[in-house]
Amino acid sequence: MAAPRNRKHILVPGHPSTEAYKPHPRRIEATRPAPPASRTRHGKALARALKTAVAEADQRRRDAGTAVHGAEPGLYVQFESQPGAPLQLSALEDARQGIELVAVSHTKTDEPEPRRIERATVFVPDGKVKHFLQRFESYAKTAPKKKGERRHEDMLDPVATLRLATLRGLWTDAVEAYPDEHEVIWWEVWLRRQDGDELARLLEFAGLKRLDVTPRRLQFDDRIVTLLRASPSQLAASVDVLNDLAEVRKAKETATVFVDMGPDEQGDWVKELVARTTPPPSDAPAVCVLDTGVNRGHPLIEPALDAADCQACDPSWATHDHDGHGTEMAGLALYGDLTPVLAGSAPLPLRHRLESVKILPPNGQNPPELYGAVTAEAASRAEIQAPLRSRCFSMAIAATDERDRGQPTSWSAAVDALAAGRAFDASTRGLVYLDGGDEAARRLFVLCAGNVDANALQPTHLDRSDTDPIHDPGQAWNALTVGAFTEMAVIADPRWSSWQPVARPGDLSPWSTTGVTFAEAWPIKPDVVFEGGNVVTNAKGEVDFPCPDLSLLSTHYRPSERSFVLSWATSAATAQAARMAAMIAAEYPTLWPEAVRALVVHAAEWTPAMQAHLRGASGKRERARLVRRYGFGVPRLERALRSASDALTLIAQARICPFVPKPSKPNERQMGDIHFFELPWPREVLQGLGETAVRLRVTLSYFIEPNPGRRGWKRRHRYASHGLRFEVKGPTESMDEFRKRLNHKALEEDEEKPTTGGDSSEWYLGEQARNRGSIHSDVLSGFAADLAERGVVAVYPVSGWWKDQPRRDRSHLGARYALVVSIETPGVETDIWTPVAQQVGALVEIAG
């Protein structure tokens, strides 16, 4: 029997040892496309195509009959790759000449086995066309190649053709979402940041064309994003006369109407619960609910939500809940599922508060918002109201479309930027990258994965969920993204006697979307799953909901009409996850948001039903695919808050310098530091357990800074500012061997890298599967005696755009991270917690 979890997690004191880091060289065999039959003919054809594009651009500019003050003259050229051959994107731009890669998109050939075609759109200023013509001329030469001569084969062999780009050439959204020529839509317009007048030029263009532009915008380091309403034919002229455009996408549409059905419960339930509830202290951590507003008049909510903490992004919306969804989320974020709470009788001391910022307008017919800017403004309003309060942001609102499929958007990138410490500047009505120094406030966002459409629910629910991708902004790297599972499978209500639950207990909820279809390089999403209820099916295969026996219970937004409302799906799961995060923050007030996120993930386990699927996986690749369905499992509150005598959890927080200037070239970057944690470790106890089975788990959590433009995400245009990885010392490795295995700089002159010690194959997921996104977690099972020698963990950087764009590198401020390490000895009566507590000087306290 496992020991009770009644001991605090141990915070590792001090700092890791730091060394200058250089990774061992890796040999990567690049696959090159087959050269054209004649490079001479190909080079001359590309030169003719470029000259034709220049002539067409001049003609289109004259035909437009519109001029915008200060617009830089130039043209957009679209390069298209050979089928199956990626373009050399970095070779297509030259910052010194003002030639900029602005957008990358992909399509596939119409073949039985489709091949990928890559398209890159490049802005070329007037007078700089010769940059490419000279390369085409060198490429087309027939004379023998001289030593050191460049003919740009790597750049031009993959190119099939080029042409003058149209508005469609700047389209980086789903191909099928592109509107008809005269269809008026809201566009998400991404502008190249150059001289600070980009937005003024867009507004001048919109005024000339009588187009609407929304007042909200987002500002990233090299991009400004806003919304503009036009048809393709109206917006197309901007490509020729404005020359500030980088890319265009379709604006997001969000669901603003939610079902609020529920049983007619008795009001005295509420009175009884209020009587045994102790309100939270005024300085308690908060869950800030970003939703439709919250009705603080509900007796269960009023003690934890002050009137001053109810706000709206637009004051004209008022702060009340016009729909019900926000109050429903608030009840779950404060109490969890109310059914067991109401059925209980124990005193209930609340340790966290609520805040509410209304981000959805009461009128669903309003034009679409730039929800990244709305989210940024909402976070700012909460922080201005209570600047010293610890909080997490809970947002169970998602886009209704599926066209991004894991790719960064303006909304998900805004969440990533806010999490990483960027700030909202009210003077510009947008998200601006302000230099907040090394103490810029990091933020934890808890986001819903998004739901399977109610009309698409089916009895074979896993098939549907596996092909229904997580909704924007749930793909955000830095967020805690929450899917839904269910343990609800017993139907007692006689009105549903002819119906059966769709999902087996412990499996994915039929409502939950997943990251199964995401590209392999993208983060594991959802991160975790919480209870989201079940749906029912009958003998005909019809699906229905809500069944009260298979739903959660929360607070109704009109308590004068009824006290409670049924709740379900990933919205309900998200609110419960935010509640856990706030409770962790209350228990461990010195933890960073990165560490709170790490503890939620670290506390997760796969249910027996999930484990059955995982055991049936044919290999680690298939196992990794299933993790993109279930995340890291279901977090348990007791695991997140407490250790046990036989289950020790260690928490470390540190800053690392990912990149440093090269000594010989200060304007370039090389890898920075590697950290080694020699953890307080129950070495002697583990040695005494010999071949007893034990389990080691490691979770590494950090926040990246985003680079969201769709420009291929390779090298200087990759999405993440940096990445971090962890490695654990092998059981037979010395400390010196461990250092040399990881760090090329630790080798003596002419010394080879050690060939032993790496154990990726022993970990449950392994490096390839776990090293996605900005949170990495894995489990290693083995003998206690082996684990006794593994008390050293290394954390080291991998590349990101900070390395490739030195002027934007913030490595000198230090990249924060949290490391959580746990040892469990299930089924063995032994105390591994006390020896470690004594090592670090912690009070040996046992909670009741």
Side-chain angles (χ1 to χ4, degrees), residues 293-589:
V294 173
N295 183 358
R296 64 177 300 270
H298 197 294
L300 292 179
I301 290 176
E302 188 273 336
L305 178 60
D306 291 341
D309 292 325
C310 296
Q311 303 184 72
C313 282
D314 186 331
S316 68
W317 297 348
T319 63
H320 69 283
D321 186 353
H322 64 271
D323 174 83
H325 193 258
T327 306
E328 177 188 332
M329 294 301 100
L332 291 168
L334 192 59
Y335 297 97
D337 183 8
L338 276 174
T339 301
V341 178
L342 291 166
S345 58
L348 183 62
L350 296 176
R351 299 187 63 190
H352 66 284
R353 306 187 59 78
L354 293 174
E355 298 173 334
S356 169
V357 183
K358 191 171 185 173
I359 66 170
L360 290 179
N363 183 356
Q365 300 304 311
N366 286 353
E369 287 281 8
L370 191 60
Y371 277 94
V374 172
T375 305
E377 184 173 337
S380 174
R381 287 181 179 274
E383 291 168 345
I384 291 172
Q385 163 60 23
L388 300 181
R389 181 180 293 156
S390 169
R391 61 176 58 79
C392 70
F393 295 93
S394 177
M395 188 163 66
I397 302 293
T400 54
D401 60 64
E402 305 169 5
R403 61 186 193 267
D404 295 299
R405 295 184 178 271
Q407 298 182 92
T409 64
S410 62
W411 195 357
S412 71
V415 169
D416 281 334
L418 289 164
R422 298 306 190 175
F424 178 76
D425 184 359
S427 66
T428 63
R429 305 190 72 178
L431 179 66
V432 182
Y433 271 166
L434 300 176
D435 187 354
D438 62 349
E439 292 301 326
R442 272 62 169 189
R443 304 170 180 90
L444 177 59
F445 283 85
V446 185
L447 306 181
C448 67
N451 299 331
V452 171
D453 187 271
N455 295 320
L457 293 168
Q458 61 189 45
T460 54
H461 70 102
L462 292 177
D463 293 340
R464 178 66 200 189
S465 289
D466 282 353
T467 56
D468 203 337
I470 283 170
H471 296 176
D472 187 28
Q475 72 274 30
W477 286 46
N478 295 339
L480 181 69
T481 303
V482 185
F485 91 114
T486 188
E487 294 283 7
M488 297 178 172
V490 177
I491 302 175
D493 191 334
R495 292 173 297 177
W496 297 89
S497 59
S498 61
W499 297 79
Q500 298 294 323
V502 166
R504 295 172 53 214
D507 215 329
L508 198 71
S509 168
W511 289 106
S512 192
T513 55
T514 70
V516 172
T517 60
F518 282 8
E520 199 173 80
W522 291 108
I524 294 172
K525 296 289 178 178
D527 296 289
V528 291
V529 290
F530 278 73
E531 180 63 68
N534 210 338
V535 299
V536 293
T537 185
N538 60 16
K540 298 178 182 178
E542 298 169 327
V543 174
D544 201 0
F545 70 93
C547 172
D549 289 332
L550 306 183
S551 302
L552 295 87
L553 196 68
S554 189
T555 43
H556 193 272
Y557 75 121
R558 291 176 178 168
S560 60
E561 297 178 7
R562 67 176 85 170
S563 298
F564 307 113
V565 64
L566 294 180
S567 188
W568 58 85
T570 62
S571 293
T574 300
Q576 295 171 88
R579 173 177 179 261
M580 180 180 288
M583 295 176 78
I584 291 171
E587 185 73 18
Y588 302 98

Side-chain angles (χ1 to χ4, degrees), residues 136-306:
F136 298 158
E137 183 179 350
S138 297
Y139 178 79
K141 287 181 179 178
T142 57
K145 194 173 182 180
K146 298 178 182 178
K147 184 177 180 180
E149 182 183 5
R150 293 189 62 195
R151 294 199 177 170
H152 312 288
E153 296 95 333
D154 289 346
M155 170 189 172
L156 299 177
D157 278 351
V159 176
T161 187
L162 64 84
R163 63 180 68 86
L164 180 65
T166 61
L167 182 65
R168 192 183 284 267
L170 299 178
W171 180 258
T172 57
D173 215 326
V175 174
E176 62 273 14
Y178 194 84
D180 294 334
E181 190 65 14
H182 299 290
E183 179 185 355
V184 177
I185 67 166
W186 282 98
W187 301 75
E188 198 175 271
V189 178
W190 292 60
L191 302 175
R192 303 160 50 230
R193 291 191 74 173
Q194 302 169 84
D195 56 7
D197 293 328
E198 302 84 11
L199 195 59
R201 288 192 287 270
L202 178 68
L203 292 173
E204 181 183 344
F205 172 81
L208 293 170
K209 296 291 184 180
R210 298 183 179 179
L211 305 176
D212 293 330
V213 179
T214 61
R216 281 197 176 90
R217 69 289 313 249
L218 288 169
Q219 295 189 31
F220 298 102
D221 275 10
D222 60 351
R223 293 291 185 262
I224 298 174
V225 190
T226 190
L227 298 182
L228 180 147
R229 184 170 173 81
S231 67
S233 59
Q234 291 172 318
L235 187 57
S238 65
V239 177
D240 303 304
V241 302
L242 196 57
N243 292 331
D244 287 314
L245 268 64
E247 52 183 297
V248 291
R249 310 177 191 175
K250 187 177 180 181
K252 296 293 177 186
E253 299 172 357
T254 58
T256 57
V257 179
F258 301 88
V259 179
D260 61 356
M261 295 179 62
D264 186 11
E265 302 292 347
Q266 299 296 316
D268 55 357
W269 287 10
V270 172
K271 294 177 184 178
E272 191 275 337
L273 179 54
V274 168
R276 57 186 170 91
T277 299
T278 304
S282 59
D283 61 348
V287 174
C288 184
V289 179
L290 308 183
D291 212 288
T292 60
V294 173
N295 183 358
R296 64 177 300 270
H298 197 294
L300 292 179
I301 290 176
E302 188 273 336
L305 178 60
D306 291 341

Side-chain angles (χ1 to χ4, degrees), residues 476-791:
W477 286 46
N478 295 339
L480 181 69
T481 303
V482 185
F485 91 114
T486 188
E487 294 283 7
M488 297 178 172
V490 177
I491 302 175
D493 191 334
R495 292 173 297 177
W496 297 89
S497 59
S498 61
W499 297 79
Q500 298 294 323
V502 166
R504 295 172 53 214
D507 215 329
L508 198 71
S509 168
W511 289 106
S512 192
T513 55
T514 70
V516 172
T517 60
F518 282 8
E520 199 173 80
W522 291 108
I524 294 172
K525 296 289 178 178
D527 296 289
V528 291
V529 290
F530 278 73
E531 180 63 68
N534 210 338
V535 299
V536 293
T537 185
N538 60 16
K540 298 178 182 178
E542 298 169 327
V543 174
D544 201 0
F545 70 93
C547 172
D549 289 332
L550 306 183
S551 302
L552 295 87
L553 196 68
S554 189
T555 43
H556 193 272
Y557 75 121
R558 291 176 178 168
S560 60
E561 297 178 7
R562 67 176 85 170
S563 298
F564 307 113
V565 64
L566 294 180
S567 188
W568 58 85
T570 62
S571 293
T574 300
Q576 295 171 88
R579 173 177 179 261
M580 180 180 288
M583 295 176 78
I584 291 171
E587 185 73 18
Y588 302 98
T590 62
L591 292 188
W592 297 337
E594 297 95 326
V596 173
R597 179 176 71 149
L599 268 178
V600 174
V601 169
H602 199 83
E605 292 188 305
W606 295 298
T607 65
M610 297 172 189
Q611 289 174 359
H613 289 289
L614 290 163
R615 283 194 300 271
S618 57
K620 285 196 174 181
R621 183 179 291 272
E622 175 65 15
R623 189 183 297 168
R625 193 185 75 87
L626 289 170
V627 173
R628 291 180 181 271
R629 175 196 289 172
Y630 300 118
F632 291 100
V634 183
R636 304 297 182 188
L637 183 61
E638 65 274 11
R639 295 179 64 86
L641 295 182
R642 294 283 171 164
S643 291
S645 61
D646 62 354
L648 164 69
T649 296
L650 301 168
I651 305 170
Q653 301 181 133
R655 285 181 171 86
I656 193 169
C657 180
F659 313 115
V660 295
K662 289 183 178 180
S664 59
K665 299 178 180 178
N667 292 327
E668 297 182 13
R669 294 292 184 268
Q670 64 185 23
M671 290 298 182
D673 295 336
I674 183 171
H675 283 179
F676 291 96
F677 282 93
E678 296 194 48
L679 297 170
W681 208 246
R683 188 169 181 267
E684 293 181 1
V685 177
L686 292 171
Q687 285 177 333
L689 293 175
E691 294 189 358
T692 301
V694 295
R695 191 174 82 150
L696 171 70
R697 182 166 186 175
V698 180
T699 301
L700 174 65
S701 172
Y702 54 97
F703 291 163
I704 59 95
E705 291 193 6
N707 189 32
R710 292 190 182 170
R711 288 174 283 174
W713 300 309
K714 297 175 183 177
R715 295 192 62 79
R716 70 187 307 271
H717 297 311
R718 64 184 103 213
Y719 182 74
S721 55
H722 64 288
L724 299 179
R725 301 290 185 262
F726 72 80
E727 189 78 28
V728 178
K729 187 178 83 67
T732 62
E733 275 183 310
S734 68
M735 185 62 195
D736 197 44
E737 288 171 333
F738 183 44
R739 291 173 52 246
K740 291 178 178 180
R741 173 163 65 87
L742 297 182
N743 190 4
H744 188 74
K745 285 193 173 183
L747 297 177
E748 301 291 340
E749 188 175 355
D750 298 328
E751 186 179 12
E752 295 292 327
K753 171 187 173 183
T755 57
T756 59
D759 58 359
S760 178
S761 62
E762 299 177 26
W763 291 83
Y764 189 75
L765 294 179
E767 293 178 0
Q768 292 301 314
R770 76 179 180 228
N771 290 340
R772 307 298 183 198
S774 62
I775 187 163
H776 316 300
S777 189
D778 210 346
V779 176
L780 186 147
S781 299
F783 295 140
D786 285 342
L787 190 60
E789 308 301 325
R790 309 193 70 151

